[in-house]
């Protein structure tokens, strides 16, 4: 059976009713999408079905942001403090724990269910063999952002690994807040300098906010070879966040932010959130505290392409950007 994200998400929403995964007749409640995803066979009894589903969901939930992980575990009665027999009682517990209203708690649950479905099917598909055309990936990305400058400056130090022979050019991008007429950005206020490791060969608007860049390497790389380069970006941002939304896998991403004085009161670490959710203050993250220099740092490992990782802060003036 071919399982879609919508199929699996719908069955997870159905499963949260009543006692969730603790339901006495879980075997009958597990639909075809759940059975396929968690490899439930006809001979599995109720306890074995519960074991496969709970172990699979717990493994997936560990990769979710803290608030979404709490939401799905509570909704499915998998959290030890939210073992209420009725779904509505678990929603109220979640709302109280997150210090939000019931409506927001339900929205967190729905979002968490959707992300669980995406993660589950991504794992089933084992995407690595399906990407034979991938040319390179990032082994280490270090980004330093100075927000205390008249125009924010970003320094990017990246080490990549060639995944095929004859790799000679990299496709990069930076997403900025739109400043132009009609909510579009021409990218003309973005300055890019290469400190070492290549030459910029292309620059074009890929969307209303995303600037695509081409970096030609000093020489062709063979499969498995590493290469390092450094860039500096200078541009006004629009949103109060900086996140990496990788196009290619990233093994390690270290982000260092320096705020202007006084530092923001609220700074959050965002991990594996949807790109549009990076600017949504309703999407919670782990709180960070700037040090005496107004600086914070966050580290992320094994980034999944298409998801956002980084830092969001509260500020009276909107600033923000994304690297890819």
């Amino acid at each position: 059976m071919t399982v879609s994200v919508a199929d699996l998400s719908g069955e997870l929403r159905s499963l949260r009713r009543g006692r969730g995964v603790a339901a006495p007749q879980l075997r009958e409640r597990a639909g075809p999408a759940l059975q396929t995803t968690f490899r439930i066979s006809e001979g599995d009894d109720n306890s074995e079905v519960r074991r496969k589903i709970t172990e699979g969901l717990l493994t997936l939930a560990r990769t979710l942001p803290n608030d979404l992980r709490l939401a799905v575990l509570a909704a499915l009665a998998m959290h030890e403090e939210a073992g209420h027999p009725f779904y509505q009682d678990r929603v109220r517990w979640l709302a109280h724990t997150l210090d939000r209203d019931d409506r927001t708690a339900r929205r967190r649950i729905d979002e968490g269910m959707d992300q669980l479905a995406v993660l589950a099917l991504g794992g089933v598909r084992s995407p690595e063999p399906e990407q034979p055309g991938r040319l390179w990936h990032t082994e280490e990305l270090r980004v330093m952002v100075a927000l205390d400058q008249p125009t924010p400056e970003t320094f990017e130090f990246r080490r990549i690994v060639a995944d095929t022979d004859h790799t000679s050019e990299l496709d990069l991008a930076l997403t900025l807040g739109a400043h132009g007429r009609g909510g579009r950005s021409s990218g003309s206020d973005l300055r890019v300098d290469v400190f070492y490791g290549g030459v910029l060969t292309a620059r074009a608007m890929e969307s209303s906010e995303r600037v695509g860049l081409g970096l030609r390497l000093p020489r062709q790389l063979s499969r498995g070879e590493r290469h390092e380069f450094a860039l500096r970006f200078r541009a006004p941002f629009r949103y109060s966040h900086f996140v990496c939304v990788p196009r290619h896998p990233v093994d390690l991403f270290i982000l260092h932010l320096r705020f202007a004085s006084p530092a923001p009161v609220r700074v959050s670490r965002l991990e594996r959130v949807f790109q549009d959710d990076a600017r949504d203050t309703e999407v919670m993250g782990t709180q960070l505290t700037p040090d005496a220099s107004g600086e914070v740092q966050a580290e992320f490992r094994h980034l999944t392409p298409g998801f956002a990782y980084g830092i969001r802060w509260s500020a009276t003036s909107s600033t923000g950007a994304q690297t890819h």
Side-chain angles (χ1 to χ4, degrees), residues 127-183:
E128 198 62 28
E130 295 182 9
Q131 299 179 4
R134 192 181 76 195
L135 301 179
W136 57 277
H137 71 275
T138 298
E139 186 173 65
E140 182 175 309
L141 172 62
R142 293 177 179 268
V143 175
M144 293 77 174
V145 182
L147 296 170
D148 59 345
Q149 301 299 307
T151 299
E153 297 196 20
T154 300
F155 293 86
E156 174 181 310
F157 300 87
R158 191 186 295 246
R159 180 167 67 248
I160 64 103
V161 180
D163 292 321
T164 185
D165 291 329
H166 312 299
T167 299
S168 60
E169 188 161 334
L170 310 180
D171 57 315
L172 308 171
L174 186 73
T175 300
L176 301 170
H179 289 277
R181 181 175 300 177

Side-chain angles (χ1 to χ4, degrees), residues 244-250 303-309 323-324:
C244 176
V245 185
R247 292 179 168 181
H248 309 282
V250 176
L303 283 68
T304 302
F307 286 95
Y309 303 76
T323 188
H324 302 257

Side-chain angles (χ1 to χ4, degrees), residues 166-242:
H166 312 299
T167 299
S168 60
E169 188 161 334
L170 310 180
D171 57 315
L172 308 171
L174 186 73
T175 300
L176 301 170
H179 289 277
R181 181 175 300 177
R184 299 182 62 87
S185 172
S186 66
S188 59
D189 51 0
L190 170 66
R191 294 189 59 184
V192 184
D193 299 305
V194 181
F195 276 18
Y196 61 83
V199 177
L200 285 179
T201 58
R203 174 172 171 152
M205 295 302 300
E206 297 181 344
S207 72
S208 61
E209 297 185 352
R210 186 174 63 252
V211 182
L213 303 170
L215 182 72
R216 187 178 66 238
L217 305 183
R219 62 179 181 83
Q220 288 189 346
L221 302 180
S222 300
R223 181 182 178 90
E225 277 196 274
R226 290 167 170 78
H227 179 74
E228 297 186 4
F229 62 91
L231 306 174
R232 178 174 66 176
F233 303 98
R234 284 177 286 178
F237 302 163
R238 178 179 179 184
Y239 305 110
S240 300
H241 66 256
F242 189 102

